[in-house]
Amino acid sequence: MPNFYKPGALAACSLVTVCLVVGAALSGCEKKSNETATADTETSKPAAEKSLWPRVQSAVKKDPAIEAKIAELLGKLSLEEKVGQLIQPELRQVTPADVTEYSLGSILNGGGSFPGENKHAKVEDWLALADGFYNASMSTEGGRVPVPIMWGTDAVHGHNNIIGATLFPHNIGLGATRNPELIKKIGAATAAEIAVTGIDWSFAPTLAVVRDDRWGRTYESYSEDPAVVKAYGGKMVEGLQGVAGADLLSERHVIATAKHFLADGGTEGGQDRGDAKISEEELVRIHNAGYETALAAGAQTVMASFSSWQDVKMHGHKYLLTDQLKTQMGFDGLVVGDWNGHAFVSGCTPVSCPQSINAGLDIFMAPDPNWKELYHNTLAQVKSGEIPMARLDDAVSRILRVKLRAGLFEKGAPSTRELAGKREVIGSPEHRAVARQAVRESVVLLKNNAQTLPVKANSKILVAGDGADNIGKQSGGWSITWQGTGNANTDFPGGSSIYQGIAEAVDAAGGAVELSANGSYKNKPDVAFVVFGEDPYAEMQGDVGALMYKNETSLALLKKLKADGIKVISLFITGRPLWANNFINASDAFAVVWLPGSEGVGIADVVLTKADGSVNFDMKGKLPFSWPASPAQSPLNHGDADYQPQFAYDFGLTYSDKIETGLLDETAAQAVAANTPDSAPIFNQRVLNPWTLVLLDHRNNMLPVTTSSGELGAVQVSSEDRQVQEDSRRLQFNGSAKATVTLGSTTRTDFTPYIESKGALVFDVKVNAKPDADVNLGMHCGSDCVGEIPVTEQFNAAAVGEWTSVSIALECFAKKRVKMDMVLAPFMLSTAGRLDVSIYNVRIEKNATAPVCAE
């Protein structure tokens, strides 16, 4: 869950700029007819063969005493108190007083959210705030019924919001270990560190089976193979929650969350929040695998996915949330939404979405300042019958069941619990030892010519590269901050960089080690470890258009060291497989270290020998994802009909292997700009493939216009003749609400050659009536990847009724964070006011004349 919406930014009419994706697989909106949109909750798939979906027997059985207590509490809670249980505000937007007034059932802290907005908040600060919220929830003021609040956090690779916590390798690295029992240990260690801060609930594990590695959350997935995810899901739940019948939800454990249900890793093109256009059989066989074991182990919460299945948003998918998850698979815990995820359901806004509750969502994750509006609207919808009372009572019962099973009514204030405030547990030696083991078992060796590895620890060693002494880079996203950026080594007290781990071992063995990010050295080394790779990123911002690693500085460094006659070992930091043949060719040995987290010392364990020259730890890691043979080779999964990877799934050399890797093909790195036409037409007399003209209203309803006209909410489009019949489109906005006209696609287009050739978005426009409000022209490449340029002045300056040309440099959109290699919508015209314009010949052109970008 991200922490990216600015307060007040996501008003009902502004979803366009955040979620628009076009066509049938759009990443934040749904395709709807020209008539009144049908709510997602009313869209159900035909009844499937029951054998497709498993029956799951949870290890946590219903307790008659708990069920009786639920019934008792339901009889006491007022309608207002029940609705309050459904609302989950974010830490920065809620106070203890709010908890009492609205009887809130839970809160969360998003990535990069801290007590008092202090990144370096101490354990005591977290615990004091937890006490404040708990005490507020237990108030009997005004006759209210006390129900303990739950606090949820994204502890996805350790308690990663806390300075000094143990940060384990991200899931992709854990998938390389093929060690389910280790996963359970990691879950238990994470739970203990969470418990120290008084937090009750972890939004983990992620059970995505990623099938297209261009997705920015690939590193949050254990593997492309559902069998690995299935083997890990239950073990992580047992680690976090404890084992049913033994230590389930003791004071050393926390509530686990299986997420994101369902097929978040199966979206078309790897689009974040996109659409999984797959069969129901594939949905169950591949993407439900981890949920089977997680639910069987007793996972008490499930988080709904931002994504869609066959055009229906999961936050509004009754067939999957209710019919299959709750009824068929027997899940009796609660379903929580993702960060404002309900707002992307067709017909919904951040402050109103009965469709989600009716579909089976039990808790709205409502991080915006206007969550109180959501509360009041939901209360009104229950009173009117739009949300049936039975559905409300079912949701509240599920929330109470989880709280009662977790012992929250008996545990007392967070500060009174077993591990509360025990700072020595945060980053304890025992936990770091588990993380260190995970690091060394996760490294995958792709190349080891002439048995370059392991390196004798008493050698003369150079450690180079921008990742050599950079704990933040090796930890990746979700590390203190949401995107994992803005951190220094001092933000990871007790942790070790890869260089620090190597230096410690080399010094102990009597060798010599030198650190130099740029590869310079005073004394020529025997061998150089070069540590480089992807910089930190998290969801949305991590999506890429092609699986290619580009870094001319790092490549030049490898080649320079080779030219100096030095053995070169590349340690590649990455959150996904990437085509890097040129880097592999320039290396004597090439090892993928993934995103190892805070214990970089684990790398030294496996790449260096013992002091006596014998192997310390052998290479054990195996590829959890297939490694591409070209940047365009995605999706790529073992079992594909035409499976031709560079390195196959499950590949990984050990030190006993005597395989010499020849030169790999580097031709895929050659530029394609020379073969790119000077103009890329988008609309020329008609909408050209792969583009579609789509209307979007302020409530996320969409209408693809495939004929000569269409109307949706405040905007309508019609055909117009300029030179030949119906060669233009007239766009009329009536000013009643914000609306957008888009030319977009469900597949990405790479416009990099155009931006490199000083290209521009160019179109002809005829202003029929000047705007009476701001008008923006946008370009879109996915969630949080939208750039808008104001064009109000150009439209006002144009002579009414006369055609003129508008040209906006692609660089202007790129400066607004649009990634030109993965464009989904190159043209998005939006306004909340009145506007009447006609457009003709929309295209992307090289070497176009365009005004300088406004700052």
Side-chain angles (χ1 to χ4, degrees):
M1 292 159 342
N3 170 28
F4 71 100
Y5 293 131
K6 295 180 180 178
L10 192 59
C13 62
S14 66
L15 287 171
V16 172
T17 62
V18 178
C19 71
L20 180 67
V21 209
V22 185
L26 307 186
S27 126
C29 318
E30 303 302 312
K31 179 174 71 176
K32 294 296 169 190
S33 70
N34 191 23
E35 301 175 293
T36 302
T38 302
D40 283 353
T41 53
E42 297 173 5
T43 305
S44 289
K45 302 295 173 187
E49 293 291 331
K50 289 297 183 184
S51 59
L52 277 180
W53 294 88
R55 291 289 299 174
V56 178
Q57 297 297 322
S58 174
V60 180
K61 308 300 181 184
K62 282 191 175 176
D63 181 337
I66 287 178
E67 297 307 305
K69 182 65 175 178
I70 292 170
E72 177 189 344
L73 286 167
L74 276 181
K76 294 179 178 179
L77 290 168
S78 68
L79 185 59
E80 289 76 11
E81 288 172 317
K82 290 179 180 179
V83 171
Q85 292 295 306
L86 275 57
I87 309 296
Q88 184 182 87
E90 206 272 337
L91 182 62
R92 285 164 291 194
Q93 311 298 343
V94 65
T95 66
D98 291 330
V99 172
T100 301
E101 181 177 355
Y102 291 91
S103 296
L104 297 175
S106 59
I107 61 166
L108 81 147
N109 63 282
S113 180
F114 317 99
E117 296 282 18
N118 178 14
K119 174 179 174 179
H120 295 274
K122 299 182 184 303
V123 166
E124 292 82 359
D125 300 325
W126 288 88
L127 196 57
L129 197 54
D131 267 3
F133 286 121
Y134 171 85
N135 291 332
S137 72
M138 300 304 287
S139 168
T140 57
E141 175 186 323
R144 67 184 300 278
V145 178
V147 176
I149 198 167
M150 296 186 293
W151 182 339
T153 188
D154 279 293
V156 297
H157 67 134
H159 196 13
N160 44 254
N161 274 313
I162 307 296
I163 297 288
T166 309
L167 298 190
F168 299 90
H170 271 292
N171 286 357
I172 192 169
L174 299 182
T177 70
R178 304 293 203 276
N179 189 341
E181 289 306 316
L182 178 61
I183 303 306
K184 183 177 178 180
K185 292 179 182 177
I186 290 170
T190 300
E193 296 199 15
I194 294 171
V196 171
T197 57
I199 295 174
D200 319 283
W201 186 4
S202 175
F203 297 138
T206 298
L207 300 175
V209 182
V210 175
R211 308 293 282 179
D212 192 320
D213 306 343
R214 292 173 289 184
W215 189 31
R217 302 188 79 156
T218 296
Y219 66 79
E220 296 186 55
S221 172
Y222 296 120
S223 178
E224 72 187 37
D225 188 343
V228 173
V229 180
K230 187 172 186 175
Y232 280 17
K235 291 297 184 182
M236 182 57 83
V237 169
E238 287 182 345
L240 288 167
Q241 288 192 171
V243 177
D247 57 351
L248 179 71
L249 291 169
S250 72
E251 293 189 6
R252 305 184 70 89
H253 291 92
V254 295
I255 300 162
T257 306
K259 72 178 188 183
H260 307 86
F261 192 83
L262 186 62
D264 50 342
T267 62
E268 192 171 62
Q271 293 176 30
D272 192 65
R273 310 186 183 190
D275 187 20
K277 290 182 169 301
I278 58 177
S279 69
E280 188 165 357
E281 184 275 335
E282 185 175 343
L283 184 73
V284 177
R285 176 174 52 86
I286 292 178
H287 298 283
N288 195 51
Y291 292 91
E292 293 185 37
T293 55
L295 297 183
Q300 288 300 288
T301 72
V302 169
M303 184 179 290
S305 177
F306 270 116
S307 58
S308 308
W309 177 50
Q310 295 187 2
D311 301 346
V312 180
K313 280 289 174 189
M314 284 303 310
H315 276 68
H317 213 307
K318 183 176 184 295
Y319 177 73
L320 294 181
L321 293 183
T322 297
D323 298 351
Q324 300 306 333
L325 174 63
K326 292 181 174 180
T327 303
Q328 173 64 16
M329 290 197 287
F331 175 63
D332 65 2
L334 67 87
V335 176
V336 62
D338 206 337
W339 189 279
N340 255 336
H342 60 278
F344 299 94
V345 173
S346 295
C348 290
T349 71
V351 298
S352 178
C353 194
Q355 295 93 322
S356 281
I357 298 299
N358 289 338
L361 196 76
D362 299 308
I363 293 178
F364 287 117
M365 188 178 287
D368 287 354
N370 55 8
W371 60 264
K372 295 175 185 177
E373 292 183 54
L374 178 64
Y375 168 87
H376 288 297
N377 286 334
T378 304
L379 179 61
Q381 288 152 2
V382 173
K383 289 179 176 179
S384 71
E386 191 173 2
I387 296 174
M389 184 61 68
R391 173 76 270 267
L392 175 66
D393 282 348
D394 175 61
V396 175
S397 294
R398 290 171 176 275
I399 295 166
L400 294 173
R401 183 176 296 120
V402 171
K403 292 181 176 184
L404 287 162
R405 284 173 172 171
L408 297 185
F409 284 83
E410 295 79 36
K411 286 179 178 177
S415 62
T416 67
R417 299 171 192 171
E418 179 183 350
L419 294 180
K422 293 187 175 180
R423 284 174 286 175
E424 66 273 16
V425 174
I426 301 286
S428 69
E430 295 80 9
H431 295 168
R432 293 192 186 278
V434 173
R436 184 171 179 169
Q437 176 189 350
V439 171
R440 64 175 176 256
E441 291 187 12
S442 69
V443 179
V444 177
L445 185 58
L446 297 185
K447 178 180 180 179
N448 193 26
N449 285 6
Q451 297 292 283
T452 301
L453 284 172
V455 172
K456 291 183 178 179
N458 61 358
S459 302
K460 290 187 295 183
I461 296 173
L462 172 70
V463 185
D466 67 343
D469 192 28
N470 191 332
I471 303 176
K473 178 160 181 160
Q474 72 191 38
S475 295
W478 297 105
S479 299
I480 305 177
T481 61
W482 172 39
Q483 292 289 323
T485 55
N487 295 319
N489 282 359
T490 53
D491 292 321
F492 303 91
S496 58
S497 68
I498 293 173
Y499 159 72
Q500 289 169 338
I502 292 174
E504 178 183 315
V506 172
D507 289 344
V513 64
E514 187 175 351
L515 171 67
S516 172
N518 64 10
S520 60
Y521 49 84
K522 296 177 182 177
N523 300 303
K524 185 176 179 180
D526 302 317
V527 64
F529 287 101
V530 183
V531 190
F532 62 95
E534 291 190 302
D535 290 326
Y537 56 82
E539 56 188 311
M540 297 176 291
Q541 296 184 23
D543 284 11
V544 295
L547 294 177
M548 173 184 260
Y549 179 69
K550 297 179 183 179
N551 190 309
E552 292 303 321
T553 301
S554 294
L555 184 59
L557 173 56
L558 298 178
K559 292 179 176 180
K560 172 191 175 296
L561 293 169
K562 284 278 285 183
D564 289 349
I566 300 168
K567 288 281 189 180
V568 175
I569 300 165
S570 289
L571 301 178
F572 189 45
I573 295 171
T574 184
R576 59 187 138 213
L578 291 170
W579 186 89
N581 285 7
N582 41 1
F583 293 86
I584 297 172
N585 286 340
S587 310
D588 294 286
F590 191 96
V592 184
V593 301
W594 310 110
L595 300 167
S598 62
E599 307 312 297
V601 66
I603 303 298
D605 288 344
V606 73
V607 299
L608 297 175
T609 66
K610 295 179 181 178
D612 63 6
S614 63
V615 171
N616 189 19
F617 289 95
D618 199 358
M619 287 283 180
K620 294 182 63 175
K622 303 298 179 184
L623 284 178
F625 290 84
S626 305
W627 200 273
S630 81
Q633 200 175 18
S634 189
L636 173 68
N637 299 290
H638 76 100
D640 289 350
D642 185 23
Y643 185 64
Q644 296 180 328
Q646 188 68 72
F647 298 99
Y649 170 83
D650 210 36
F651 179 85
L653 298 173
T654 66
Y655 287 145
S656 62
D657 294 320
K658 304 294 191 289
I659 296 174
E660 294 294 306
T661 302
L663 289 177
L664 305 179
D665 182 12
E666 295 187 17
T667 58
Q670 296 174 355
V672 298
N675 299 320
T676 303
D678 290 338
S679 179
I682 298 166
F683 175 87
N684 191 0
Q685 301 187 27
R686 61 185 175 85
V687 181
L688 301 173
N689 285 332
W691 313 108
T692 302
L693 193 154
V694 178
L695 307 182
L696 175 71
D697 73 6
H698 71 294
R699 295 184 68 90
N700 292 332
N701 297 309
M702 301 185 71
L703 174 67
V705 180
T706 55
T707 59
S708 59
S709 64
E711 182 175 358
L712 181 67
V715 63
Q716 65 179 31
V717 61
S718 57
S719 296
E720 184 176 308
D721 303 342
R722 181 184 182 186
Q723 296 178 349
V724 297
Q725 183 177 348
E726 297 190 353
D727 63 352
S728 305
R729 294 293 182 269
R730 185 174 184 179
L731 316 176
Q732 295 173 283
F733 299 78
N734 66 26
S736 62
K738 188 169 185 178
T740 300
V741 176
T742 297
L743 291 164
S745 173
T746 60
T747 58
R748 303 188 188 279
T749 296
D750 185 358
F751 286 126
T752 303
Y754 291 93
I755 193 170
E756 293 173 350
S757 303
K758 297 183 178 180
L761 170 62
V762 184
F763 62 98
D764 295 350
V765 64
K766 175 166 62 78
V767 176
N768 305 310
K770 293 188 177 184
D772 64 4
D774 290 341
V775 182
N776 290 314
L777 184 64
M779 193 170 285
H780 165 78
C781 58
S783 298
D784 202 36
C785 187
V786 179
E788 288 192 314
I789 308 297
V791 292
T792 317
E793 290 186 9
Q794 288 101 312
F795 285 10
N796 276 325
V800 173
E802 296 183 11
W803 286 96
T804 187
S805 182
V806 173
S807 180
I808 298 177
L810 297 183
E811 178 187 7
C812 301
F813 295 106
K815 287 181 177 179
K816 299 281 188 177
R817 298 172 63 185
V818 174
K819 297 180 179 180
M820 285 299 153
D821 63 337
M822 48 189 291
V823 174
L824 290 166
F827 181 97
M828 299 164 46
L829 189 68
S830 62
T831 183
R834 299 168 67 89
L835 173 66
D836 185 346
V837 296
S838 300
I839 60 170
Y840 173 86
N841 195 14
V842 182
R843 69 269 188 198
I844 304 291
E845 284 188 357
K846 289 183 177 179
N847 302 309
T849 301
V852 176
C853 304
E855 294 298 330

